[in-house]
Amino acid sequence: MRLDAEYPLSGVNYATAEVAVEVLRRNLVAALEGTGMSAEVTTGFHTYPQERLWMFLSCEGGTDLDAVRKGIRQAAASTVSARDLTALKAMALAGMNQELAEPETVLTALVVRYGVGKDLVTHYKESVNGVTAARVKEMLSTLAVGSTAEIVIE
């Protein structure tokens, strides 16, 4: 399943997406409990022809789309606690630190910066610190009502 919505690409929104993807994953795990299904969630942005945020949900072990949709609704309605937000931001920061150690990530960041005009790495620590529970909720709510593509392969 792919969730997609118009969303501006910025350092803070990029960092928020890194946190939101984990919030969505956790809600999917809870919603899929007892179904025998597992879920993986990835995220990214498109910049052309318009800036859009997407999250891709890959589920295995079944085809219970109602349970998947329930997890999405729960994620969009949930509010991240201050404790969880602190932990999720630390995870996002660690992940970004690890990514920036990879040459491919640095090259991609350069292409985005000079090709699209979006600098996502210069102040990435400040961007992660700018993630709030309200931003995460707003992002997940926007995705929950945005464009959705559901593809079932059995």
Side-chain angles (χ1 to χ4, degrees):
M1 180 178 295
R2 181 181 168 115
L3 307 175
D4 188 293
E6 186 175 343
Y7 219 88
L9 176 56
S10 68
V12 173
N13 286 344
Y14 183 83
T16 300
E18 293 298 313
V19 171
V21 76
E22 182 60 20
V23 172
L24 178 56
R25 189 194 67 76
R26 290 177 181 189
N27 278 274
L28 284 170
V29 167
L32 295 175
E33 185 176 349
T35 66
M37 294 174 64
S38 63
E40 183 179 324
V41 184
T42 55
T43 188
F45 280 88
H46 289 293
T47 57
Y48 184 81
Q50 73 179 171
E51 293 179 1
R52 297 189 70 82
L53 167 68
W54 57 264
M55 288 192 184
F56 182 76
L57 292 63
S58 176
C59 300
E60 293 183 8
T63 56
D64 189 348
L65 289 179
D66 289 332
V68 174
R69 292 182 195 114
K70 178 183 175 185
I72 294 167
R73 285 191 308 272
Q74 287 174 335
S78 68
T79 300
V80 181
S81 70
R83 180 178 169 209
D84 284 347
L85 184 62
T86 299
L88 292 169
K89 286 165 64 169
M91 284 177 56
L93 187 58
M96 292 175 89
N97 284 331
Q98 185 177 5
E99 286 180 24
L100 290 173
E102 298 293 327
E104 296 93 16
T105 303
V106 174
L107 289 173
T108 300
L110 288 171
V111 168
V112 170
R113 181 175 186 170
Y114 295 106
V116 183
K118 302 288 184 170
D119 182 1
L120 304 178
V121 296
T122 300
H123 301 289
Y124 73 95
K125 291 178 184 176
E126 291 85 351
S127 294
V128 171
N129 287 332
V131 175
T132 64
R135 283 183 184 272
V136 173
K137 184 175 184 135
E138 191 271 332
M139 181 175 279
L140 289 170
S141 296
T142 299
L143 283 168
V145 297
S147 301
T148 303
E150 297 177 354
I151 300 170
V152 178
I153 301 172
E154 295 187 44

